Amino acid sequence: MSSSKSVLKLALVQMAVSANKSENLSRAVRMIGEAAQAGAKIVTLPECFNCPYGTQFFREYAENIPGNSSQTLAAAAKEHKIFVVGGSIPEESDGKVYNTCTVFDPTGTCIAKHRKIHLFDIDVPGGITFKESDVLSPGSDLTTFTAENVKVGVGICYDMRFAELAQLYCKRGCHLLLYPGAFNMTTGPAHWELLQRARALDNELYVATASPARDEGAGYVAWGHSTAVNPWGEPIGKAGAGEEIVYADIDINAVEKMRTQIPVMHQKRPDLYEVKDVSEK
Ligand SMILES: NC(=O)CC(=O)C(=O)O
C-alpha cells in the first residue's frame, strides 16, 4: 500500500448474520478488530448486521440510537482508533422503525446517522417480492462525513438504485460512496455490480458495498459479493458469497485525476438539465 497521505485503506466486512443479536455483535466486533489489525482506517459493516433481513424481524430487533448495538460499535471504533460505518440496524424512534446506519470516528463519537431514504418495495414475479414499507419509515436526509481527507456519502442498499442521490453526493464533494446493502439471488447477479460501476463512473468517484455473507438457509438469501469500484469504473476488490473481509485503497488523487482527464463535471448542460440539491441546509 502506498504511504501517501491521500490513500486511506477501506475494509468491507462481509459477515455472517444469524438470528442471535449478541452473537452478531460479537462477530462484528471481532471482524472490525481483524480489519483494523490489517491497517484499515474505515471499516464498513453490512446492512442489517445485527438482525436477519426481513420485515418480520425489524420491529423485534429494533433499538434506540444510542443503544446497545451503536454503543458496541462506538467502543470498537475508539479501541482501534478507526472510523466504523455501522452497516445498518433497525432503529426505533418515536414509535417508528427506520433502517439506519451510524458512523463513528476514531474517538468513538457518532458523527453521522443515515436512515435509508428509499424503501425496498419491489415485486418481481418468479423472483422476489419485498415490502419494507410494511414496517419501516423512510429517512429524509442526505448523509456525508469526512474521514481524514476523504469525503464520504452514505446510502443503504436500495438507495444505490437512485442515480440522483449519488449525483448530489458528488456535487457535495464526495470522493467515496458507501452503501451497506443486502441484494438477493434475483437482483444481485443482475444489478449489484452494475449499479456500483454505474454510480462510480457517472460521478467519477469510488463506490463500495458491504453485504452479509450468503446463508442458503435464511428466509432472505443475500447475494454477498461486497465490492469496491474505482473512479474508472473498475472493481478493485470483490468478495465471493461467504464470510470474508475485502480491502481497497481509496486514493483521492485518483478521483482528481479521473475528473481532470475526463472532465464531465464541467461539461454538464444545466441550461438543458440539472439535478438540484433541494435539501442542502
Ligand atoms: N435490499 C435492498 O434494499 C435492495 C435490493 O435488494 C435491490 O435493490 O435489489
Side-chain angles (χ1 to χ4, degrees), residues 47 53 99 116 118-120 122 128 130 132 156-159 161 181-184 186-188 191 195 220:
E47 180 178 31
Y53 186 69
N99 187 341
K116 190 173 189 172
H118 305 92
L119 296 182
F120 180 45
I122 69 164
I128 179 168
F130 205 95
E132 279 191 322
I156 299 176
C157 205
Y158 202 57
D159 285 338
R161 289 189 181 268
F183 273 37
N184 51 75
T186 300
T187 60
H191 301 152
L195 283 166
Y220 180 96

Side-chain angles (χ1 to χ4, degrees), residues 96-107:
K96 292 184 178 170
V97 182
Y98 299 92
N99 187 341
T100 303
C101 174
T102 45
V103 181
F104 302 90
D105 75 6
T107 70

Side-chain angles (χ1 to χ4, degrees), residues 50-224:
N50 73 351
C51 155
Y53 186 69
T55 48
Q56 69 274 38
F57 300 111
F58 294 148
R59 243 178 224 292
E60 179 192 339
Y61 284 71
E63 289 181 28
N64 294 325
I65 296 174
N68 186 34
S69 295
S70 60
Q71 283 160 342
T72 301
L73 299 184
K78 187 173 178 184
E79 179 184 346
H80 299 292
K81 299 185 177 56
I82 55 166
F83 290 86
V84 171
V85 179
S88 77
I89 64 167
E91 175 202 7
E92 184 167 1
S93 177
D94 294 330
K96 292 184 178 170
V97 182
Y98 299 92
N99 187 341
T100 303
C101 174
T102 45
V103 181
F104 302 90
D105 75 6
T107 70
T109 305
C110 184
I111 54 166
K113 184 169 109 168
H114 181 77
R115 289 173 170 165
K116 190 173 189 172
I117 297 172
H118 305 92
L119 296 182
F120 180 45
D121 287 358
I122 69 164
D123 183 16
V124 181
I128 179 168
T129 299
F130 205 95
K131 199 156 181 233
E132 279 191 322
S133 66
D134 278 346
V135 179
L136 299 180
S137 296
S140 304
D141 293 304
L142 277 69
T143 308
T144 63
F145 69 96
T146 302
E148 298 186 9
N149 53 1
V150 177
K151 186 158 180 186
V152 185
V154 182
I156 299 176
C157 205
Y158 202 57
D159 285 338
M160 183 164 67
R161 289 189 181 268
F162 297 84
E164 296 88 344
L165 177 64
Q167 286 169 39
L168 291 182
Y169 282 145
C170 176
K171 271 188 157 181
R172 290 188 183 190
C174 291
H175 307 101
L176 164 66
L177 304 184
L178 284 178
Y179 296 98
F183 273 37
N184 51 75
M185 301 301 285
T186 300
T187 60
H191 301 152
W192 176 250
E193 183 178 314
L194 183 61
L195 283 166
Q196 293 175 68
R197 298 183 70 182
R199 297 295 86 89
L201 189 56
D202 273 352
N203 299 293
E204 303 184 318
L205 42 61
Y206 289 89
V207 171
T209 51
S211 167
R214 188 177 306 165
D215 172 3
E216 302 282 357
Y220 180 96
V221 182
W223 171 238

